[in-house]
Amino acid sequence: MSIQIYDLTFPELTSLLNDWDEPAYRARQLWQGLYQQFWNSPELFTNFPTSLRSQLAEKIQFKVLAPVSTLNSSDGQTVKTLFRLQDGKGIEAVLMRYEKRNTLCISTQVGCAMGCVFCATGQMGFKRHLSSGEIVAQVMYYARLLHDEAASVTNIVVMGMGEPFHNYDNLMAAIDRLNEPEGYNFGARRFTISTVGLVPAIRRFALEKRQVNLAISLHAADDNLRTSMLPVNKRYPIDELLDACREYVAMTGRRISFEWALVNGVNDTPEQARLLARKLKGLLCHVNAIPLNPTRGYSGQATTRERADKFKEILEQSGIPCTIRLRRGIDIQAGCGQLAIQF
Ligand code: SAH
Ligand code: SF4
């Protein structure tokens, strides 16, 4: 397989064009074409001589993702696109429009190795990691689409298919590339990474002191329940995970979000809420609860409005801020954890 364009860093692109005996300014022009004009094919670089355009077309793969199908939610606010990768495997990414925000939800792996029982991606197992360029390409796809409407991406949540911290290096390389001031210039603070709770990666992330926001998929406040829902809890139990979270907050001063998919009668009980409030005491955090999106491989059902409100009330009485998020995009299976397409 040839080199894929979005896999290259600016220095790599510069040295490649240098090897082709191109003048130094070409690399910058190429970079700006890619990340500021969102050109996705060599023919669009009309500022380049034809010979260079043909060489690019011959040596470098520009079509990293092929959109295969697109689903729009009934309110038109959410768009989910299924992409085919070069090896034929499939991933999905979602655009959610809400007031002035255009939030992307992107994938980091084909499938996922973590096996959370309620998650559609987990139910398909792990296929492979995405390269940094395959992660970047999802953003460029929507950036181009929004650019055509005179709009732009405002936030990126790494909550699509896969466990981001299992593909740590490629994800950080993608974030760095999207962050390049001469290129897309997308601020680190506008990213949120959601992890199932891989403790060594959380510690590493804390040390790197990035401005990126961190969300932790907690979903249960005692180890028995959490292990039954998220098998990774066997390896990194709750107290160890929360210790790492405390260290993260101490080192970065940043607030952590805890995610909680409310499953009726399972983790939406007053006992779980009370236990959670005790565990999170004194931690700079926020709980994002969302009613479960039921999936084929899991018998759990979504919580009810009343139970969700009660859960929130108990947390807030203990001083833990909690938001119950709406299930957006549910009619197109674009809710969190609903992304699971296989070819
Ligand atoms: N692997 C990462 C990020 C992808 S999943 C993680 O687990 O955090 C993004 C979020 O969707 C996670 O909080 C995950 O627990 C949640 N999720 C997965 N399946 C879900 C479902 N069926 N209903 C509601 N939330 C779900
Ligand atoms: Fe993987 Fe996250 Fe799904 Fe768990 S919830 S299986 S970590 S994608």
Side-chain angles (χ1 to χ4, degrees):
M1 210 192 299
S2 59
I3 302 168
Q4 298 193 350
I5 189 72
Y6 301 111
D7 276 325
L8 298 172
T9 61
F10 184 67
E12 284 166 349
L13 195 75
T14 307
S15 89
L16 186 99
L17 291 183
N18 189 42
D19 292 348
W20 294 357
D21 293 327
E22 290 294 332
Y25 60 84
R26 287 285 182 227
R28 192 158 305 279
Q29 287 179 322
L30 182 51
W31 196 255
Q32 288 173 348
L34 289 170
Y35 293 109
Q36 292 180 356
Q37 309 299 325
F38 313 118
W39 293 337
N40 60 350
S41 128
E43 306 96 75
L44 296 173
F45 287 80
T46 48
N47 50 341
F48 285 4
T50 334
S51 57
L52 177 54
R53 273 185 260 159
S54 351
Q55 191 160 11
L56 284 169
E58 196 184 312
K59 304 265 171 62
I60 299 184
Q61 183 67 252
F62 276 67
K63 294 271 178 281
V64 177
L65 298 177
V68 176
S69 62
T70 291
L71 286 172
N72 289 284
S73 62
S74 45
D75 62 6
Q77 296 299 92
T78 303
V79 188
K80 178 175 81 163
T81 303
L82 160 65
F83 299 98
R84 194 194 308 271
L85 304 164
Q86 285 304 306
D87 65 356
K89 293 191 165 56
I91 52 157
E92 293 172 333
V94 181
L95 164 64
M96 295 163 282
R97 301 170 205 256
Y98 185 67
E99 292 174 355
K100 288 206 163 70
R101 284 188 170 211
N102 292 309
T103 303
L104 294 188
C105 174
I106 59 168
S107 295
T108 52
Q109 297 177 322
V110 185
C112 182
M114 302 299 141
C116 305
V117 296
F118 51 86
C119 170
T121 308
Q123 289 159 14
M124 65 186 266
F126 177 71
K127 311 288 179 208
R128 72 166 171 89
H129 292 302
L130 297 186
S131 71
S132 60
E134 288 169 330
I135 298 170
V136 167
Q138 297 169 59
V139 178
M140 287 303 107
Y141 174 84
Y142 284 110
R144 190 177 313 120
L145 189 136
L146 287 165
H147 182 70
D148 292 345
E149 305 170 8
S152 58
V153 179
T154 59
N155 301 80
I156 297 177
V157 298
V158 189
M159 297 190 184
M161 299 169 78
E163 165 48 41
F165 278 176
H166 184 204
N167 189 15
Y168 194 95
D169 292 333
N170 289 347
L171 172 60
M172 296 310 162
I175 290 177
D176 289 341
R177 204 158 306 140
L178 293 165
N179 199 202
E180 279 269 336
E182 303 273 347
Y184 190 49
N185 195 16
F186 196 86
R189 287 164 202 264
R190 295 195 281 156
F191 282 97
T192 301
I193 297 176
S194 172
T195 176
V196 71
L198 304 183
V199 167
I202 295 170
R203 296 223 157 91
R204 174 174 173 194
F205 186 70
L207 282 170
E208 289 175 2
K209 290 205 166 50
R210 290 172 177 270
Q211 308 267 27
V212 172
N213 301 298
L214 184 61
I216 308 278
S217 296
L218 199 56
H219 305 302
D222 71 86
D223 281 323
N224 280 341
L225 180 58
R226 191 164 189 269
T227 301
S228 74
M229 298 171 76
L230 293 77
V232 74
N233 191 71
K234 252 203 173 78
R235 192 133 164 233
Y236 305 114
I238 296 174
D239 290 344
E240 198 181 322
L241 172 58
L242 293 180
D243 280 349
C245 292
R246 287 201 161 78
E247 283 170 34
Y248 168 85
V249 172
M251 288 176 77
T252 62
R254 304 186 70 84
R255 187 178 77 159
I256 288 194
S257 295
F258 289 102
E259 288 163 285
W260 199 280
L262 291 159
V263 187
N264 202 320
V266 175
N267 64 354
D268 66 346
T269 59
E271 296 75 51
Q272 280 291 308
R274 281 193 286 269
L275 188 54
L276 177 61
R278 272 211 299 282
K279 296 258 178 201
L280 299 185
K281 204 166 185 308
L283 184 59
L284 180 62
C285 70
H286 179 267
V287 173
N288 258 326
I290 175 171
L292 178 83
N293 289 322
T295 51
R296 212 178 320 146
Y298 179 61
S299 60
Q301 293 302 312
T303 192
T304 60
R305 188 67 205 236
E306 299 72 51
R307 294 177 71 92
D309 287 345
K310 182 76 194 156
F311 188 87
K312 175 182 159 84
E313 189 188 309
I314 295 173
L315 287 179
E316 294 200 323
Q317 276 167 358
S318 315
I320 314 280
C322 174
T323 311
I324 310 285
R325 285 190 288 156
L326 294 171
R327 291 191 282 172
R328 269 185 295 130
I330 194 146
D331 59 332
I332 57 164
Q333 299 285 291
C336 296
Q338 295 280 294
L339 309 182
I341 289 294
Q342 266 176 294
F343 290 112

